[in-house]
Structures are given as C-alpha cells and as structure tokens.
Amino acid sequence: MIVDKAWNRNRLRCALSDALSGRGHVASFLPFLLTVYCLIALFLCGFGPATIVDRDVAPRQRYTVGQLRQIQQAHAPPPGISAVSVLVYDLESGRELMEKASHLPVSPASLAKLMTALLVFEQDRLAERVTIQQADLIGEATMGLSAGEELGVEELLWGLLIPSGNDAAMALARHHAGQVDAFVEQMNLRAGDLGMRDTLFHNPTGFDADGQVSSAHDLLTLVRLLWEYPLFREIVGTSSTTVANRELQSTNRLLGSYSGANGVKTGTTRQSGQSLIAGVDVGGHQLFAMVLGSVDRYQDMRLVLQSVRGNYSWVPLRMPKRPTALDRLFDAEGNRWILRADGINVDPAAMEAIPFFERLLAGWERGELQVFRRLHPPPSGVWTTGMPAGILEWRLGDSLIATQRLFVQ
C-alpha cells in the first residue's frame, strides 16, 4: 500500500506538471475550471454588493410587479394622444399626477398672455383708463377695439383672457410700461424671478417668433400665481359675457361642456399647434391639466382627464359609521365604553381640528392606508363620559399623515 500511494503521488505531480507546462489533456480543461471558479465567486458575493437601507429593518411593504406597472401607466399620458407635452397637477396636494416632457420648450402661442395678465394684476392699476391707439390693432384674435376709444384696464383684461384679444394685450403692455418692448423686458425679468428657465418672451401676445418659448412646467408656475386673484378666476371661468358693449366668447370650449371645468386658457398658432390649459374642479379640489402642441387638444384633454380620474381619487379619513374595534374599549370591570372622534389634525402639532380630512390617493396607495388607535388610560384607571381617550393615527405606509382625537362617549 505504501508503494502504491507513493506511485499515485508521483503520478499526480506529473499530471499537474503537464497541466502547468501546457502538456497533456488537462490543459484543455482550464477554460472550464475558470468558469467554475467564477460562478463560485458570484455565489459567494451574492450577485452584487449589499443593499443599503436607511433603517435597521427592511421596508414592511414592497410594490408588486402589477403595482409598479400601474404606477408607470398612471403617470404617463394615455396612448394615442397627439400632444408633445402633458402635465397634470393637483393644487391642494401639490402633486404632479401625469407628466410628459413638461420641461420641453415649445412655442406658447396665446398662453404667453398669462404672463401679460400676471404683470397687470401685480401692478394693481385696474381702475386706470387706457386710450386705444392704432398700433394696438394688430389683428387675428381680437376683442374688437377701435383707435381712439377708451376702456378700463379691468375691461381689457376680460378682452385679453376670454377671446384672447391681441389688441387688448398690446394696449395693456403699452399702458403699463410706456412701450411694448419695455413690457416684454418686464415679462422676461419676471420669468427669471420665478425660475422659469424654459421661457423666453418676444411679445405680449404669443405670436410666433424665433426663440419665443415656454414649457408646461413654467406655465404651471404662472397659473398657480394667477389663481390667487379672484378676478382672474372669475374671468377665465366665464364662457361668454358682455364687456364695454362687446359680446365676448371664450376660446376655451371645455367651459360648459365638461363637468367641473372652470378655466383657464387656450393657445393656437401655426408653429405651436393647439394648446390648452384646463382648470377642473374635482369634488372641491382644483386640478390643472395641460396639453401643448396637440393636433386635437380637446380630445387629448378628455383622454388625459379620464385617465387621471381613473387612477386617483380623494379618500376621506373618518371614523367608520359601523361599530368596530376602533370605537370600543373595556375598563377593568368589563364595562364597555364607546369612543367618538372629534376631528382631524392634518399637522399633529396643530391645535385646530376639522371634521375629516381628505387625502389624494392613487389606486396602488389605497392598500397602504391604515389607522391605528393609541389609548391614553386615565391615572385612576376609571373612564368617564367626555374624557379624552387617546388618538387615531392615520398612516400611509410608514408616514403619519393625520391624527384624530378620541373621547369617551
């Protein structure tokens, strides 16, 4: 046996020597051996570096493949729309619900008049009178002004925003800055102040001009500021009216034809195509939807709004009407007490409470909404009617979004 073992060791040395020197059949197996070693290394490394999380435990809930697909589909415009840029924004929650190329600079057409209107509102000279000059009458969309007549600034705002009057835009620009060119400089300075980096104006009307551009994101900035003026909301929400003995008809055909439509403006030129910023009241919540560079803006807008309403809804946070474990407690003697909720604090540190709070939720977020009860037993251990009992915590995933005070009933 000793001789056999020595002979085997010698044979193994020879085989290894042959392999290292390139001789024998072992050399042909080297690529295979290298592959095996690589696979073993991958398994030992776990197929990549360790995942870093910002807490000691992994998130208690992960999105499924179906939820991820739903998120992607909800945030993107529906297929088949022609608009080159889309943006949908909920004013109350400050949440973008849908987006496509929202920073893409495009010709704004008459949506440039929103900046014209903003400067006029901010100067707050609505009671002043303006004498119309021949240079103001530049044609195309008009409120029907004539040289030599005199109108108030507020009247011109109606003509600017309802029929999208270019004559009204020129008259307002000249009146507020002395010259139209000086007013355009003010438009660009204000755009810079507001961080509108995708925007450059060359005129107050929106006529096509080389380099005159804006984006859905920048135009949303204007709409949000203008919406703070009650007169602006009144004007853009009016489908037709009489101003200075003129019948004015809004260019926004959604008004009166789409439920909840309450503004704001259209824009159309050969270079820009059709554009529309729509304001829509959805159950008391203000929504702004934009389609820019469209072939059929109203069809595109209806598809966009239909998709948004199918994917998002406002959910009220309130105690269930049916008895549940949340509204009952038992004392040490086995007596049952009923709890009532006295309002919701959106900010847990706030003092004022409202009867209930609504939260804008996407379909995939509804399963993450949970409510927890935290009781605060009295030191005596005895409950009495009207005594504070604790709070309900409304949570969306791991985030506390509202609290609700509980009292013994």
Side-chain angles (χ1 to χ4, degrees):
M1 290 293 296
I2 296 175
V3 175
D4 290 341
K5 289 182 178 177
W7 183 83
N8 286 335
R9 283 197 296 270
N10 290 332
R11 186 179 179 182
L12 179 60
R13 288 195 196 99
C14 292
L16 290 173
S17 177
D18 289 344
L20 294 174
S21 62
R23 299 191 304 267
H25 298 289
V26 177
S28 63
F29 289 98
L30 284 177
F32 172 75
L33 291 174
L34 289 174
T35 302
V36 172
Y37 290 152
C38 290
L39 288 174
I40 292 172
L42 283 174
F43 276 107
L44 292 176
C45 292
F47 293 97
T51 301
I52 300 175
V53 296
D54 57 359
R55 48 186 166 183
D56 341 332
V57 295
R60 58 182 176 78
Q61 182 171 348
R62 297 176 183 271
Y63 288 128
T64 65
V65 174
Q67 287 174 321
L68 291 173
R69 186 181 298 111
Q70 188 179 8
I71 293 171
Q72 183 181 15
Q73 291 175 347
H75 198 59
I81 69 169
S82 61
V84 299
S85 181
V86 176
L87 182 61
V88 182
Y89 177 83
D90 180 81
L91 182 61
E92 184 173 330
S93 67
R95 184 173 180 179
E96 288 187 5
L97 308 184
M98 183 181 293
E99 189 272 345
K100 172 189 174 184
S102 62
H103 282 279
L104 177 68
V106 297
S107 175
S110 287
L111 298 179
K113 293 185 175 80
L114 293 173
M115 178 60 89
T116 302
L118 179 64
L119 293 183
V120 173
F121 274 107
E122 289 180 338
Q123 290 191 24
D124 194 21
R125 298 159 56 186
L126 303 186
E128 293 182 358
R129 307 291 292 178
V130 181
T131 301
I132 306 303
Q133 297 182 4
Q134 186 63 40
D136 301 330
L137 311 180
I138 59 176
E140 297 196 19
T142 174
M143 74 171 294
L145 298 177
S146 301
E149 66 177 322
E150 186 179 276
L151 282 82
V153 169
E154 182 174 332
E155 292 175 314
L156 290 172
L157 277 173
W158 285 83
L160 174 77
L161 295 170
I162 291 186
S164 196
N166 296 317
D167 47 2
M170 296 294 285
L172 287 169
R174 177 181 50 78
H175 177 76
H176 282 76
Q179 296 180 2
V180 173
D181 289 345
F183 188 83
V184 173
E185 289 183 11
Q186 293 178 10
M187 294 171 71
N188 287 314
L189 288 173
R190 190 70 178 106
D193 292 340
L194 295 174
M196 297 170 59
R197 300 184 180 184
D198 310 320
T199 297
L200 180 65
F201 295 109
H202 287 307
N203 57 63
T205 60
F207 278 168
D208 286 337
D210 290 341
Q212 177 159 268
V213 292
S214 191
S215 67
H217 183 272
D218 285 0
L219 292 169
L220 175 62
T221 298
L222 293 179
V223 172
R224 290 176 58 191
L225 288 172
L226 285 164
W227 207 252
E228 297 176 4
Y229 294 92
L231 178 59
F232 176 81
R233 299 198 300 269
E234 179 185 358
I235 293 174
V236 297
T238 302
S239 59
S240 63
T241 189
T242 301
V243 174
N245 298 318
R246 291 169 173 83
E247 294 290 333
L248 304 182
Q249 186 72 37
S250 176
T251 57
N252 182 2
R253 297 208 309 265
L254 282 187
L255 296 175
S257 66
Y258 188 88
S259 176
N262 58 2
V264 285
K265 188 141 188 10
T266 65
T268 310
T269 65
R270 181 175 300 176
Q271 182 174 319
S272 70
Q274 300 179 20
S275 297
L276 171 63
I277 302 177
V280 183
D281 183 298
V282 182
H285 305 280
Q286 185 63 44
L287 198 72
F288 297 121
M290 305 186 183
V291 293
L292 308 182
S294 172
V295 174
D296 187 343
R297 59 188 165 209
Y298 295 107
Q299 174 66 12
D300 283 355
M301 183 60 72
R302 285 184 168 87
L303 290 174
V304 164
L305 293 174
Q306 180 181 4
S307 177
V308 167
R309 288 185 165 182
N311 286 297
Y312 298 90
S313 61
W314 284 90
V315 178
L317 310 184
R318 66 178 86 196
M319 283 279 280
K321 294 183 179 180
R322 299 180 301 168
T324 67
L326 294 174
D327 57 14
R328 287 175 290 176
L329 63 84
F330 295 86
D331 59 21
E333 299 178 355
N335 298 316
R336 185 182 73 173
W337 297 88
I338 303 298
L339 302 179
R340 62 178 174 83
D342 191 41
I344 276 189
N345 287 320
V346 177
D347 179 356
M351 297 301 295
E352 293 187 5
I354 55 178
F356 68 92
F357 170 60
E358 289 184 299
R359 178 80 177 200
L360 180 64
L361 297 179
W364 60 88
E365 294 174 327
R366 282 175 167 259
E368 296 185 25
L369 182 63
Q370 300 182 62
V371 58
F372 299 90
R373 186 178 74 174
R374 296 191 183 277
L375 294 178
H376 301 156
S380 64
V382 179
W383 297 101
T384 58
T385 301
M387 177 181 291
I391 61 172
L392 290 181
E393 290 185 351
W394 295 91
R395 291 183 174 272
L396 187 63
D398 294 328
S399 300
L400 178 65
I401 59 174
T403 60
Q404 192 169 18
R405 296 177 297 181
L406 292 174
F407 294 86
V408 178
Q409 186 166 295

